[in-house]
Amino acid sequence: MSQRVSDEAVTKAMGENEIKSGSSSRRHGDTLPHIHKVGAPPKQTLFQEIKHSVVETFFPDKPLEQFKGQTGSRKFHLGLQSLFPIFEWGRDYNLKKFRGDFISGLTIASLCIPQDIAYAKLANLDPQYALYTSFVCPLVYAFMGSSRDIAIGPVAVVSLLLGTLLTDEISDFKSHEYLRLAFTATFFAGVTQMALGVLRLGFLIDFLSHAAIVGFMAGAAITIALQQLKGFLGIKTFTKKTDIVSVLHSVFDAAHHGWNWETIVIGVAFLAFLLITKYIAKKNKKLFWVAAISPMISVIVSTFFVYITRADKKGVAIVKHVKKGVNPSSASEIFFSGKYLGPGIRVGVVSGMVALTEAVAIGRTFAAMKDYSLDGNKEMMAMGAMNIIGSLTSCYVATGSFSRSAVNYMAGCTTAVSNIVMSIVVLLTLLLITPLFKYTPNAVLASIIIAAVLGLVNIEAVILLWKIDKFDFLACMGAFFGVIFISVEIGLLIAVAISFAKILLQVTRPRTAVLGRLPGTTIYRNIQQYPKATQINGILIIRVDSAIYFSNSNYIKERILRWLADEEAQRRSGSSRIEYLTVEMSPVTDIDTSGIHAFEELYKTLQKRKIQLILANPGPVVMEKLHASKLADLIGEDKIFLTVADAVSTFGPKGEAVV
């Protein structure tokens, strides 16, 4: 509604109680500007406020809405669908969809089998445990997960993290205790993930910023690639540390007597082959399958080559043995008491959170590409269930793999059935052909890992971080250097610490801005962003761009007074002195007791300087608290306005607010 309308027209449209006019308003020509009152929301009880906060925090998606007004049997059916989404999308499943899922499943299986054998070495486990993981976990996820594209299994970053944390507790990774601790950590990783889903605490994952994840993943990729130099160069004695200094020191110490030239030839040849196929697939998206099957081709060709030449007799390290058959039960192997229970919980929580963060990021990426919604809490419950079940069936921590998910997407998957197909192929591999991997050279597995993790180094994202937000770039670099120079877990801690530091900095030091009027309008904007915006004689207008809490209330008060001092110094030469200080409060979503006290102190300070405090556009929550604290009475109802233009129209020089 226009500000320049007659009393009768405004009364008809808005009602007399929404209008404030009188001696403080000025006439401009034959029109009288009307100042709209700031409405106070209906007062809420303590219970209503707590209920609203809980609902918005834990149930913003209204998960129980669908059950309202339904019969008992229908509620049971909807509950079953909610827990197992396969019963919802499975009703419309057909042969056409299965064709796409079947091809996708075969394609990602050809990629996952050689990757699994390689990733097991990162976790310091025998290859069959990674294959078990790619058999059991995808089956569970297919029934409970909400993503259509994510491919489940062991991944490089989580495998390395798990291996590093476990060896800190038990250095002898060949011991049975190490294996038991791995199952224990997997169990508690699943418990952590499921607890987050059941308690609807998924928002906690969002505290790990994108910048920190980019840096952590890049650092982990470099660390993983460096760790592969042992198998790539044929080094027998190698450091157990993961930092770049220790690894390079170990590599060059073995340069004169520890490198095996046959191993290097195999590693270089197949790494070149894998990188070339990745380049071809990147240039031509239709040839994605070339990169997808290249790891399996590498394993088959290299295994056959080593077998016929008996290169293993010349120092080429081979896999030697992959246990045949399906998963044995490991329920009795988990530590539920004793000295390893604490370490198992600690390692499980850390690896579970990292695995969940990676899976949710991957799931959201592909959901956005296909324009469907991804239920974060269902994802957590699905991930938790599959890792709990996996820990009972000789699996270690599984999550979504970006490389396999990308191949799954490119191959034309339509549902999670592609994971079921992949799982069946892995099962057949375990039952029939695992002995054939005996002569697979470790150099090829190292090449497969190096080629896979290079995609985790996202240079474009790092450059974008530098352009957009230097603090984000600092968080990224902190996580990156923490991983490669210290350890994976320290890099992760640095990533989390910097993410929290950014939040604290933004909360404790919010932005404020001086506003001016854009020429020819009644719009007021930041004078730094709009240099042509003009300030009003006698009035200083400041916008606060944050909620006002105990952590920043004193800073905001002091910052406003500093703005006032700066403006008074600038206006001393010629312009009229400042008589009114207007605080534009539209971005202020909330204010607490400390914020109220800060404004009371600000009001008293301004009174001593004979400057009036004016508030513009406080929100409903803020307005309610202004009335409850009697601050509105202290400032004066006639000094609280709907817009800055209304305040200027009332107290500014004649003609300033009306253009």
Side-chain angles (χ1 to χ4, degrees), residues 64 173 261 399 579 645 652:
L64 301 179
F173 55 79
W261 73 266
T399 186
E579 298 180 35

Side-chain angles (χ1 to χ4, degrees), residues 404-533:
R404 274 173 261 168
S405 299
V407 169
N408 198 28
Y409 172 82
M410 293 284 199
C413 70
T414 55
T415 67
V417 170
S418 59
N419 274 293
I420 298 176
V421 174
M422 178 187 72
S423 175
I424 294 171
V425 173
V426 173
L427 173 62
L428 294 174
T429 301
L430 283 164
L431 292 173
L432 302 174
I433 65 174
T434 49
L436 299 179
F437 293 113
K438 177 180 178 180
Y439 290 99
T440 301
N442 288 339
V444 166
L445 300 180
S447 299
I448 290 170
I449 293 178
I450 293 171
V453 299
L454 287 179
L456 297 177
V457 182
N458 194 339
I459 296 175
E460 291 180 359
V462 175
I463 294 172
L464 189 62
L465 289 173
W466 172 259
K467 291 180 179 177
I468 295 176
D469 192 321
K470 300 300 187 291
F471 199 93
D472 271 350
F473 177 80
L474 179 64
C476 176
M477 290 296 100
F480 175 76
F481 288 118
V483 170
I484 66 170
F485 282 108
I486 308 175
S487 66
V488 177
E489 60 267 35
I490 294 299
L492 183 61
L493 285 174
I494 291 173
V496 173
I498 294 177
S499 296
F500 273 100
K502 181 180 179 181
I503 294 171
L504 290 173
L505 187 63
Q506 290 177 335
V507 169
T508 58
R509 294 295 182 266
R511 297 181 186 275
T512 57
V514 174
L515 306 186
R517 182 171 59 81
L518 296 179
T521 71
T522 56
I523 299 171
Y524 292 79
R525 290 293 182 266
N526 188 340
I527 60 173
Q528 291 183 341
Q529 185 179 2
Y530 299 93
K532 292 185 179 179

Side-chain angles (χ1 to χ4, degrees), residues 285-300:
K285 299 295 184 184
K286 293 181 179 179
L287 297 177
F288 69 91
W289 56 270
V290 174
I293 65 171
S294 59
M296 183 61 81
I297 292 173
S298 300
V299 168
I300 294 171

Side-chain angles (χ1 to χ4, degrees), residues 583-638:
V583 181
E584 216 281 57
M585 302 186 73
S586 54
V588 180
T589 55
D590 199 359
I591 188 170
D592 68 0
T593 308
S594 298
I596 295 292
H597 286 317
F599 267 81
E600 287 175 351
E601 292 171 9
L602 177 64
Y603 172 81
K604 292 173 183 177
T605 301
L606 294 177
Q607 286 291 301
K608 291 175 183 177
R609 301 186 187 185
K610 297 183 179 180
I611 299 174
Q612 298 297 313
L613 177 62
I614 299 171
L615 303 182
N617 197 19
V621 175
V622 175
M623 198 63 194
E624 180 184 350
K625 293 182 179 181
L626 290 179
H627 281 290
S629 64
K630 306 298 182 183
L631 182 59
D633 296 334
L634 179 66
I635 295 173
E637 290 282 353
D638 60 332

Side-chain angles (χ1 to χ4, degrees), residues 115-248:
Q115 282 188 345
D116 285 352
I117 296 172
Y119 292 161
K121 290 186 175 296
L122 293 175
N124 299 317
L125 295 170
D126 292 333
Q128 66 266 20
Y129 295 109
L131 292 171
Y132 294 158
T133 303
S134 284
F135 161 50
V136 174
C137 294
L139 282 178
V140 178
Y141 182 84
F143 281 83
M144 298 186 69
S146 58
S147 173
R148 305 171 193 169
D149 304 279
I150 198 169
I152 297 297
V155 298
V157 173
V158 176
S159 298
L160 175 68
L161 180 64
L162 193 66
T164 303
L165 296 177
L166 292 177
T167 49
D168 287 344
E169 303 297 334
I170 302 176
S171 58
D172 181 13
F173 55 79
K174 294 292 184 182
S175 68
H176 188 64
E177 299 293 298
Y178 181 91
L179 181 62
R180 291 187 64 187
L181 188 58
F183 295 149
T184 305
T186 302
F187 177 82
F188 286 107
V191 169
T192 301
Q193 293 168 338
M194 181 162 277
L196 289 173
V198 171
L199 299 175
R200 304 187 70 83
L201 298 174
F203 61 86
L204 294 176
I205 294 176
D206 295 330
F207 281 97
L208 193 59
S209 69
H210 171 70
I213 292 172
V214 169
F216 174 74
M217 289 295 188
I222 300 297
T223 301
I224 291 167
L226 290 173
Q227 288 283 308
Q228 301 318 300
L229 292 177
K230 176 185 178 182
F232 194 81
L233 302 174
I235 301 171
K236 293 181 180 179
T237 305
F238 201 74
T239 181
K240 292 182 180 180
K241 296 180 180 179
T242 59
D243 64 282
I244 188 172
V245 176
S246 298
V247 171
L248 291 180

